[in-house]
Amino acid sequence: MKDLHLKKARQIAELVNSKQIKATQVIEYFLKRAEELNPKINAFNSITSELAIKQAEEVDKQIMAGKQFALAGVPIAIKDNLCVESTYTTCSSKILENFKAPYEATVTSRLWSAGAICLGKTNLDEFAMGSSTEHSAFGATNNPWNTKMVPGGSSGGSASAVAARLAPLALGSDTGGSIRQPAALCGIVGMKPTYGLVSRYGLIAFASSLDQIGPFATDIEDANLLLSVIAGHDAKDSTSLHADFNYNKLTQNKDCKNLKIGLIKELMLTESNASPELVNAMNMAIETFKRLGADIQEISLPLIAEHSLDVYYIIAPSEASSNLARYDGVRYGVRDKSATGINSMYSQSRAKGFGSEVVRRIIIGTYALSSGYYDAYYKKAQQVRRLISEEFKKAFQSVDILLSPTSPLTAFPMGAKLDDPLSMYLCDIATIPANLAGIPALSVNCGFDSNNLPIGLQLMAPQLADRKLLETAFVFEQNCPQAEKIPALAL
Ligand code: GLN
């Protein structure tokens, strides 16, 4: 079958379920495509052909026996910080270079039960720390819209793979924006669900109170389909919620009457802080919602705008310094053989195995947690985090959805921010607040700049209003003709 890569995940599943094509034929097509195109964008750390063929044969066998699957034969790319049993799971770090996951993450085991096929493991900023996928021990990933540009990060490999149509779906993780920001920079859909809606069991932890797994897709309906497969309570994750996601297809609303949308005043772009094209794309998106009958109001969230970044860069590194203490070179990964004693073996192995950004985070986090500084930094940050959640709660008493740009910038050139961590951190100014408050947020394409680089619109909703969020984005997407554009490299 021709042009399978231009089909939606749901269309592939239907073709496979109705026996018009075999899962093994689908995966052959996508494996060949990944082999041809991956060298141009370096989206994958590994391509799991053997596993993929085995899984596809099993799906075909079960379909012949009369079974039907939500994601029958749909190839999916998995961020390389998720454990897929017996596959390399590296977090794009030298310290885990040879680590093969000894067990399966809950999300991936749900995917395989739903008939999806593991195409490969995607590149990321080491341990998911970054916004450009340049901090990878295995080389940077490129943006399919222009390979000289970054794809965003940290789930840049997943975003780039879906944008280049190497896979119709991918999974990423989002601690401060790592699904939404690369989705915006690559012109696709990316969603961070409510904290606790999707199990984190088998996700290699960065900052456990912020990490959340979520979908990448080329449109909202596919993102909803993927989320409905992975969402739901899991006894293996103590932070997993007992709430159920509405697993049905999205309702096809024609308008946004009865919907109140708040524009976050402090995050709105103006010609003094962003390019005119970005400002214009945001204004057009707001106009679209107005035309659809939404009640639009400006809303001021001063605390969120001013303090989210500071709070995040205390809490995330603190949790990371504790989570990453387990990498000591003893059982797997890099070990410095020249060390002469146990302490030097630990410290030299860690110095060799971790990249500079990870080291920076470990040092900041260790400092913030150390006695004498704990109250001034970590405790204070937790208190402000609470106030941030309350500011969101108050806002959601008067509006249903909050709107902002996903990123203040479109894709930037490789290397442009590598020596300036602060300017890299600023990429996440609009995405971090949702992680601190645990609320769902997504990014959907809303236009292009004059260099033909995509622009993302961010929508946020109250905790567990994931469904409402998707339905709002669904109406928007159907009224945004650019949403369907595909990079030339992918055609
Ligand atoms: N870019 C942010 C950071 O570097 C967020 C990363 C993420 O969401 N994993 O921490």
Side-chain angles (χ1 to χ4, degrees):
M1 197 170 285
K2 266 181 55 198
D3 288 344
L4 265 183
H5 62 286
L6 299 179
K7 300 227 179 295
K8 300 295 174 197
R10 55 190 182 277
Q11 295 169 325
I12 294 179
E14 203 186 309
L15 288 170
V16 174
N17 276 326
S18 59
K19 305 193 184 105
Q20 293 179 61
I21 189 165
K22 286 193 158 138
T24 37
Q25 291 170 308
V26 175
I27 200 62
E28 237 170 69
Y29 180 98
F30 278 95
L31 284 172
K32 189 160 161 269
R33 198 173 151 77
E35 212 169 278
E36 279 165 22
L37 281 176
N38 189 52
K40 292 194 181 148
I41 53 173
N42 196 31
F44 285 96
N45 282 347
S46 55
I47 294 177
T48 50
S49 348
E50 233 173 85
L51 171 65
I53 292 166
K54 218 173 91 200
Q55 287 176 327
E57 283 169 354
E58 185 57 32
V59 167
D60 284 336
K61 211 168 92 193
Q62 298 213 30
I63 284 183
M64 290 316 281
K67 201 161 170 200
Q68 299 279 283
F69 296 93
L71 293 174
V74 178
I76 182 160
I78 307 288
K79 189 174 180 179
D80 207 11
N81 59 354
L82 280 160
C83 291
V84 173
E85 197 177 339
S86 322
T87 68
Y88 285 110
T89 301
T90 68
C91 287
S92 290
S93 180
K94 265 201 258 165
I95 209 142
L96 282 174
E97 198 164 9
N98 299 314
F99 175 66
K100 281 191 176 168
Y103 69 98
E104 190 76 43
T106 296
V107 280
T108 50
S109 92
R110 288 185 183 177
L111 285 174
W112 318 145
S113 307
I117 311 294
C118 184
L119 184 57
K121 308 291 296 288
T122 56
N123 201 4
L124 60 147
D125 285 297
E126 186 176 359
F127 283 101
M129 298 173 191
S131 309
S132 67
T133 317
E134 292 167 292
H135 297 298
S136 160
F138 310 129
T141 294
N142 314 68
N143 190 314
W145 290 93
N146 177 342
T147 52
K148 293 196 174 67
M149 303 290 178
V150 304
S154 67
S155 318
S158 287
S160 178
V162 171
R165 275 39 180 192
L166 293 192
L169 298 175
L171 282 185
S173 64
D174 189 313
T175 307
S178 279
I179 294 177
R180 290 160 287 156
Q181 185 257 10
L185 270 48
C186 289
I188 56 169
V189 172
M191 176 175 177
K192 181 199 91 69
T194 294
Y195 182 80
L197 186 68
V198 176
S199 165
R200 291 179 296 111
Y201 180 75
L203 167 69
I204 297 183
F206 162 10
S208 314
S209 77
L210 301 158
D211 297 341
Q212 186 58 195
I213 299 166
F216 283 104
T218 59
D219 71 1
I220 295 287
E221 259 189 285
D222 267 5
N224 179 61
L225 174 63
L226 176 51
L227 181 59
S228 68
V229 168
I230 59 173
H233 180 254
D234 175 22
K236 290 182 185 146
D237 172 0
S238 61
T239 59
S240 165
L241 298 173
H242 277 276
D244 255 346
F245 183 70
N246 178 342
Y247 297 97
N248 301 326
K249 274 194 175 164
L250 291 172
T251 330
Q252 194 117 24
N253 293 325
K254 285 195 195 62
D255 56 47
C256 292
K257 287 184 185 133
N258 303 322
L259 189 76
K260 288 195 189 122
I261 299 182
L263 313 179
I264 306 179
K265 185 171 158 224
E266 292 82 359
L267 293 180
M268 280 300 142
L269 301 173
T270 61
E271 302 225 352
S272 65
N273 61 16
S275 76
E277 294 133 16
L278 256 141
V279 177
N280 186 38
M282 282 302 123
N283 289 340
M284 301 255 292
I286 295 164
E287 280 309 311
T288 303
F289 276 119
K290 272 192 193 151
R291 192 159 42 76
L292 289 164
D295 170 1
I296 311 268
Q297 37 189 286
E298 196 172 69
I299 202 156
S300 174
L301 302 174
L303 201 67
I304 288 170
E306 198 169 335
H307 294 300
S308 291
L309 215 60
D310 324 354
V311 167
Y312 174 86
Y313 276 99
I314 300 285
I315 294 177
S318 298
E319 293 184 12
S321 73
S322 155
N323 278 325
L324 271 56
R326 68 185 64 141
Y327 305 106
D328 53 13
V330 175
R331 288 184 57 191
Y332 40 76
V334 171
R335 179 189 296 200
D336 186 2
K337 301 246 166 51
S338 68
T340 49
I342 183 107
N343 283 333
S344 63
M345 194 278 281
Y346 287 154
S347 60
Q348 282 169 225
S349 301
R350 283 166 68 81
K352 255 194 173 166
F354 289 132
S356 59
E357 184 58 30
V358 174
V359 169
R360 182 170 14 247
R361 307 279 179 118
I362 293 174
I363 292 173
I364 296 174
T366 308
Y367 181 83
L369 289 178
S370 58
S371 72
Y373 295 104
Y374 180 91
D375 283 358
Y377 293 104
Y378 187 72
K379 196 168 155 207
K380 179 67 91 10
Q382 290 291 16
Q383 287 163 337
V384 181
R385 179 178 187 179
R386 171 72 173 267
L387 297 176
I388 286 174
S389 287
E390 277 164 15
E391 197 170 68
F392 267 122
K393 270 198 196 122
K394 214 170 131 224
F396 284 125
Q397 281 167 6
S398 50
V399 295
D400 305 300
I401 297 284
L402 286 167
L403 180 153
S404 77
T406 309
S407 158
L409 295 170
T410 50
F412 46 90
M414 296 268 179
K417 293 182 186 293
L418 264 184
D419 298 327
D420 185 357
L422 218 56
S423 100
M424 190 75 93
Y425 298 170
L426 278 166
C427 295
D428 301 309
I429 185 124
T431 47
I432 280 172
N435 299 80
L436 292 172
I439 60 172
L442 61 76
S443 180
V444 58
N445 183 266
C446 69
F448 288 82
D449 70 7
S450 54
N451 296 318
N452 201 31
L453 293 168
I455 300 172
L457 173 75
Q458 180 177 234
L459 301 172
M460 292 177 252
Q463 249 168 27
L464 290 173
D466 300 66
R467 174 82 181 181
K468 175 141 213 161
L469 180 65
L470 283 158
E471 284 194 336
T472 307
F474 190 35
V475 187
F476 174 78
E477 181 185 70
Q478 289 175 332
N479 287 278
C480 180
Q482 301 97 318
E484 275 297 303
K485 253 171 90 171
I486 295 173
L489 178 148
L491 286 171

